[in-house]
Every structure is written in C-alpha cells, then in structure tokens.
Amino acid sequence: MSDIYTSILDTIGNTPIVRLARLSPAGIELYAKLEAFNPLGSVKDRLALGVIEAAERDGRLKPGQTVIEATSGNTGIGLAMVCARKGYPLVIVMAESFSVERRKLMRFLGAQVVLTPASEKGTGMVEKARELAATHGWFWTRQFENEANADIHSRTTAREILKAFGETGPDYFVTGAGTGGTLKGIARVLRAERPATQIVVAEPENTPMLASGIRQQYKSDGTPAESHPLFRPHPMMGWAPDFIPQLTADAIDTGLIDVIQPVGGSESLRLARELARQEGIFCGITGGATLAAALEVAKTAQQGSRILFMVPDTGERYLSTPLFESIEQEMNAAEKEISNSTPLCRFGVPTSQPAVAAAVAIEPAPDSARDFVEQAIKDPEQPVVMFALEWCEFCWAARRFLRDLGVAFRSVDLDSVPMQANGLGGDIRKVLHSVTGQRTIPQIFIGGAHIGGAVDLLDLHDRGELVTLLGKAGVAPAGDPTITARSYLPKWLAARSAT
Ligand code: PMP
C-alpha cells in the first residue's frame, strides 16, 4: 500500500475478490469477496461507518453522545472502531451465547458490553437496546432497519463488484442475511445495472424463515413483534437472527431474490475449513456457509458461469466455537512421531546433556545483595515476599493467585530496569540460589520461611496448608480461600501435567 491514510476509517472497503483455484468445480469460476480485509476484520465495518456518518450528517447523533446497538458481534466490533476514532462512547448489547472473543475485542476497543440471557434470543437483545436508548437518551443505530446499512453497500460493496466484473457482472451473486444490509444494498444495484445476475440468498436449512414465506410481524417502529415461528438455533453466527429484519423483508418484497438456498450447519463448518486448507482463505462460519450455497448453485449453473460469494469475516473470531472444535491443542500421534524422529527437544525423554542447574556451582554474591534479601524476607511489614521476573508466566500466575486470595505481597522484580542498572537483580539471584539451593524464579517467602516457587505456593494452598502458614505470619486472606490454586498455572503447563 503506497497511500498514507489520515484515519483508519478511510481503509474500510475496497476488499479483494479472489478466484478459488481448487474448490471451483470443473467449468465454473467461484469468486470470494473477502470482507476480512476490512480493518476490524468483517463486512460490518462498512455498516458501522455508514450508520454513524449518516446520523452525523442528519444531526441525529450529537458530538460526544453515547451510541448503542444490539449485535451478534461483528457490528459491535466495527462500531467500537468507528466510535473510538470519532470519540463516541459505545454500549453494545449482546446475547451471552455469541463467542467470548467478540466481547473481549469490543472491550479492548473501549466499548462497554451488556450481556443478555441466551434464552431471550435476538429479539431480547434488540428490546434491551431500545429500552436503554430510551432511558438514557443514547443514539441507537438500529442496524436491522437502518437504511444507511443498505446504502453503504450500494455505494461501496456493489460498486466494487461492478468494477471487478465489468459490463456483464457475475452470473450469480451469493450472500447470506443477518440484517439484510449486504443483501438489499448490493442486490438492488445489481438488479438495476446488471439485470442478468442471479441473486441467491442462503439461509440455515433448519431455519427456513425466508423459504417458508411466513411473514414477520413488526411493531410500529419496525422492530420485530416476536420471534419468527420457524427460527431454530443454528451455527451460522451473524446470519438469521430469530426474526426476519425489515431490510431482508424489503429485499424479498421488492423482488430482488431469485433463489433461496438452504445450507447445512456441518457442511458450512466443513467448507470454512476447506477454504482454509485448500485455498489459504481464513474465514468464519458464514463464509463456509455462503460457499456451501455457491457450490449448490454451481451444480445447475451453465459451464463458464462466474459465481461471486461473500466471505463476511475472519476465522479468528471463532476459536471458542464449533468451527475449531476438532482442532487439537496438543500434539497428535503423527506430530509426536515427527518429534521423535530426531533426538533433540523431545518430551518424556531424558536429555543427553547434563542438567544446567546441577552443573553450575553456587556463585558468591556481594554483601549488599545478601543484606537486601535478608531484610526483604524478614520485613515484618511485608511478610509475603516474592522474588520475581516482571513478565515470567509463573510469577504472573503466583501474583494473580495471591491477589485473588486477598493477600498483600511484595514482588521484587529482579529484571526491572532499576534492579538491572547496578547488577543488583543478578546478585540477588545468586543469593537466592545459595540460600534456597534453587535457581528457578519466582522464589517465595512467607514470614521469613522459604516456601519455594509458584507451583509450590499453589500446591501448598490446594493441600490446605497455605492459610495456616499465612496465619502464623499474621496474614489473613481477604479473598475467597476456596479457590483452586492450580488453575492459575499457565494453561500449557496445566495441559501437560494432565496427560
Ligand atoms: N456473517 C457474519 C459473520 C456477520 O456478522 C454478519 C452480520 N451480522 C453477516 C454475515 C450478514 O451481514 P448482513 O447483516 O449485512 O446481512
């Protein structure tokens, strides 16, 4: 990229269209529009910018006013970016069932996330957003009805498609529908300017709300009156909430849809993985689901057809969902075999080199370091002392555990800049080695007594002995003494000791 942008928001849109090399059936050209190239990784970055700038233009959104929206995640993440850049506080309402990565991303971007019970479904989220907006005077972006949602797709996404496919356009355009903004916004432009392009909308096969023809009932403000009778839970996060949004209904009512294509959940998950493995395209569940619909279309399409399908977001948002369920964390048998095919760095096999710790003699240390350690471990004001490294995972585990247990402690961070400046940190390590016989960090002392490292501390607690020891040193934990200390260990270590 040679341009310099003055705002991250200027990088939204103009996403690439990539031809599938290996998943295109013989004689058919499949093209993926990769919305993960938007700065916050999804198609909803476009909507976020569109609805905020429309509201700024017509004065409905005042400078500094709080913005609120109900979302399954991607809209919230996009809005969090736009609101961060433009300086609006943001509150997101989201059902607890959507992946936790999404909540954390929004909070990372500075938004507040209010969860709603999964049992209240999408309509519950929307009701809560409406109630909060009305009560607090916040600006509700109303993505399911807001024309600015469809407009931004007509102005940007549709134009990008026309430019890429030239005079004839793609033979088929395949998309799913969450709000229906992508569908309505792109389909109306294609219909008007490339009337030969067939518009295909995919929906979960167990939730045939669109295929049924059963109309959604709305309140006077355009929000759904109740759940659609055919809604069922499905894995295509971001598609088919438990109602047909007004934007989707508009697309149907104005005759923009040629084919409604049902797709299965397992097939969608499988094809998202195939896109990754066969094409190097990393996407979320709805990307696989849209490909599933495109492949169905391909079965009856004429030879030479060009089928464009939307890939709405990135797969990184789905690590905790069924998409990654079969992806192992530990080495499988084949990987272990590779590891064992050469001698170095294997698990469960004693190393051929002498252990470093055993080979190194205890080194002398200057008196200043001895005095420091002596004073620190005998300090009556701070009976719990940890000699630590600032960012070591074990030190972090011990600190988090002690904090949750409600125990005040002193952490002497031996690698902090001041400790390194005069070599004191390194000298203290030598003293600790000579006093404890141990070279590992952290080393923890309670009431002057050495209790060992992080694992020793945690095990002491899980054996029920730590609270007594603390009591003898005059320390009473202010937190919950029933916490399981081992759970504070780094996850990779916990996993290894379990096998
Ligand atoms: N896929 C994902 C992952 C989404 O988050 C969304 C938006 N909710 C969509 C598809 C559908 O986009 P639209 O709202 O424009 O219909």
Side-chain angles (χ1 to χ4, degrees), residues 43-44 72 74-75 102 149 153 176-183 237-239 286 312-313 318:
V43 68
K44 304 314 279 273
S72 64
N74 281 332
T75 297
R102 296 169 184 226
N149 174 359
H153 286 290
T179 59
T182 308
L183 169 68
M237 240 179 251
W239 275 9
T286 58
D313 70 352
Y318 298 87

Side-chain angles (χ1 to χ4, degrees), residues 350-387:
T351 164
S352 52
Q353 291 160 6
V356 179
V360 177
I362 292 176
E363 299 163 64
D367 287 346
S368 55
R370 292 194 172 277
D371 293 347
F372 185 103
V373 172
E374 179 88 356
Q375 278 167 19
I377 64 180
K378 299 244 164 82
D379 180 357
E381 298 295 314
Q382 297 178 97
V384 182
V385 187
M386 177 163 103
F387 293 91

Side-chain angles (χ1 to χ4, degrees), residues 14 23 31 49 57 75 99-100 109 113 138 142 197 205 267 314 317 329 356 382 391 402 432 436 440 460 477 497:
N14 279 317
L23 292 175
Y31 294 88
L49 185 64
R57 275 196 300 275
T75 297
S99 74
V100 292
L109 284 154
V113 182
W138 293 340
R142 303 190 57 167
T197 301
E205 65 178 4
E267 186 63 355
T314 162
R317 231 146 261 187
Q329 187 169 314
V356 179
Q382 297 178 97
W391 294 103
L402 287 172
L432 289 170
T436 67
T440 54
L460 206 58
S497 48

